Amino acid sequence: MKTLESLVRPNIWALEPYSCARDEFKGMTAHVFLDANENPFNDPINRYPDPLQEKLKERLAPLKGVRPSQMFLGNGSDEAIDLVYRIFCNPGEDNVVAIAPTYGMYKVCADINNVEYRSVPLTEGWQLDIQGLMNAVDTHTKVLWICSPNNPTGNDFPRETIHELLVSFEGIVVIDEAYSDFSTNQPFRNLLDNYPNLVVLNTFSKAWASAAIRLGMAFASEEIIGLFNKVKYPYNVNLLTQEKAMSLLADLATIDGWLAQIRREREHVLPALAELPIVLKVFPTDANFVLVKVTDANKIYHYLIEQGIVVRNRTRVQLCKDCLRITIGTRQENNELLGALRFFK
């Protein structure tokens, strides 16, 4: 890996971050707060939230197998994705390399930040093209994006191939593990101390069934997390989101039950889809969704809409011609989908 200073934008490395009132005072003994120009009424939401979400990180870190200092919490994973560009990539100069197909926000954030985005198609069977990825790298490549399990293909990549990228690429490797809780593979966030160039993303939107609270996670070395905290907006995670996350952490049995049910439903849905005449291929999945190649994605998509059922039409995505991405729902939802597809003509 190159030195962290050489990878970070010079203006970010030299940045003096904004010091908010709650950064300057963190004591718990005060009872009169006249420092932050807050309205004294409507407690507790009249007060600014903890800018570093320290209590939440203390509860969450052991569950994720990391130290609190190795964790960033943001307004969804998209905030962490955007921060990677803002911290490491000089606009109009640097580039990033990613796989294709994959999660679309990596490219959207690259375009917003005026950073060249180089995509390398997956090989047959949706596998990483290690040589192709490394051939796309040059002296201005700062970041390599890997989503595993990948969206929209659903498959986890073998750990040994990701390891090869981590040791071969001298820049930052971001592994988006948004769907890792649905997989049997071990997450890479537990190996942060082995890879100083590794950033791992996770989210409360999927396994935690809490997309509406907009809480994303990034795990990395303390030095990289320090840069995230330096560049982020001061109060990026509101109090209500922090409180809801704490309540979820107090009921882990329910979360585990949701995960188990989705895995069972996945085993129910995949073979049932494969039996349908309109389904040409059901791709293996380690996520809470499945990519299905059908006879005519556009017609089937609009037919399902007429039945009140919404799936994701991915036919315009690279390598996904006539593919639908279908989320695993409840048994009732899944049976309604399968029943509708059986009557399609």
Side-chain angles (χ1 to χ4, degrees), residues 130-175:
I130 300 294
Q131 192 58 55
L133 289 166
M134 295 308 299
N135 287 344
V137 169
D138 64 19
T139 57
H140 288 286
T141 305
K142 291 293 189 69
V143 180
L144 179 60
W145 294 97
I146 303 293
C147 184
S148 185
N150 189 34
N151 179 6
T153 61
N155 61 306
D156 243 330
F157 298 117
R159 292 172 67 82
E160 57 269 20
T161 59
I162 296 179
H163 167 78
E164 186 175 344
L165 290 171
L166 281 163
V167 298
S168 300
F169 180 56
E170 294 185 330
I172 300 298
V173 178
V174 182
I175 304 177

Side-chain angles (χ1 to χ4, degrees), residues 161-336:
T161 59
I162 296 179
H163 167 78
E164 186 175 344
L165 290 171
L166 281 163
V167 298
S168 300
F169 180 56
E170 294 185 330
I172 300 298
V173 178
V174 182
I175 304 177
D176 190 341
E177 295 184 337
Y179 300 96
S180 62
D181 294 291
F182 303 101
S183 172
T184 57
N185 287 345
Q186 291 297 310
F188 266 88
R189 66 174 179 268
N190 301 134
L191 300 175
L192 293 177
D193 291 333
N194 297 346
Y195 302 109
N197 61 331
L198 174 61
V199 176
V200 177
L201 305 182
N202 205 202
T203 178
F204 270 70
S205 296
K206 312 304 178 184
W208 294 81
S210 299
I213 72 171
R214 307 310 304 134
L215 185 59
M217 295 165 271
F219 310 99
S221 68
E222 295 179 6
E223 292 77 14
I224 292 177
I225 293 301
L227 291 165
F228 273 66
N229 290 330
K230 187 180 187 181
V231 176
K232 77 175 184 69
Y233 291 115
Y235 303 107
N236 61 323
V237 180
N238 69 70
L239 175 64
L240 301 180
T241 291
Q242 293 185 47
E243 289 181 341
K244 181 59 180 179
M246 291 289 279
S247 70
L248 290 165
L249 286 165
D251 191 13
L252 295 178
T254 295
I255 308 298
D256 290 340
W258 291 339
L259 284 169
Q261 184 173 345
I262 290 172
R263 292 191 192 104
R264 287 195 300 269
E265 284 302 304
R266 185 173 64 188
E267 298 308 307
H268 162 67
V269 170
L270 268 62
L273 286 170
E275 293 175 357
L276 298 173
I278 61 172
V279 172
L280 303 178
K281 186 175 180 62
V282 177
F283 293 99
T285 180
D286 299 291
N288 69 329
F289 61 86
V290 58
L291 191 69
V292 182
K293 188 174 183 62
V294 295
T295 52
D296 191 322
N298 289 329
K299 285 185 178 180
I300 296 171
Y301 172 78
H302 290 293
Y303 162 77
L304 289 173
I305 291 291
E306 292 172 356
Q307 311 306 310
I309 301 170
V310 184
V311 297
R312 197 78 186 269
N313 188 354
R314 300 282 77 188
T315 193
R316 295 184 179 180
V317 173
Q318 187 174 353
L319 304 182
C320 294
K321 173 69 174 173
D322 278 322
C323 286
L324 300 175
R325 194 193 70 189
I326 301 172
T327 305
I328 304 299
T330 64
R331 175 58 61 96
Q332 179 179 344
E333 291 171 331
N334 297 331
N335 285 343
E336 188 170 347

Side-chain angles (χ1 to χ4, degrees), residues 75-83 103 105 109 214 216:
N75 186 356
S77 296
D78 293 342
E79 180 181 4
I81 292 169
D82 185 60
L83 283 173
Y103 181 44
M105 277 303 295
C109 282
R214 307 310 304 134

